[in-house]
Amino acid sequence: MENGSVVYHDAVRPLFENTRQLKEWQLDLPEARRFQLGFEAQSGIHLPHVCLTEKELMDALIEVGCV
């Protein structure tokens, strides 16, 4: 909500793809997503989906052969 109005009403996962919008709304990324973005930027390896939990992150890293 922003100024008493709903600003987002959709699935959660796509919300965390748009980091610019989250910053505008003053919302933090989950730690797993923050790690994912850093990992992808440094390694050049793109994980197959947005990871919101440590388990999702671990599974994605295994899927791409990084663990």
Side-chain angles (χ1 to χ4, degrees):
M1 295 193 76
E2 185 174 19
N3 297 325
S5 298
V6 175
V7 293
Y8 187 84
H9 189 288
D10 205 349
V12 173
R13 203 158 300 278
L15 171 66
F16 289 102
E17 291 178 7
N18 189 344
T19 56
R20 186 176 40 116
Q21 184 64 62
L22 288 173
K23 287 179 184 178
E24 190 175 302
W25 290 334
Q26 299 176 2
L27 297 173
D28 288 332
L29 288 171
E31 192 160 328
R33 179 67 173 142
R34 194 171 23 249
F35 179 92
Q36 178 182 5
L37 291 171
F39 172 82
E40 291 175 339
Q42 289 182 4
S43 69
I45 298 170
H46 185 71
L47 298 183
H49 58 272
V50 172
C51 301
L52 301 179
T53 67
E54 290 178 12
K55 170 113 175 63
E56 290 176 349
L57 179 59
M58 179 183 65
D59 291 344
L61 289 168
I62 291 170
E63 188 176 329
V64 297
C66 289
V67 176

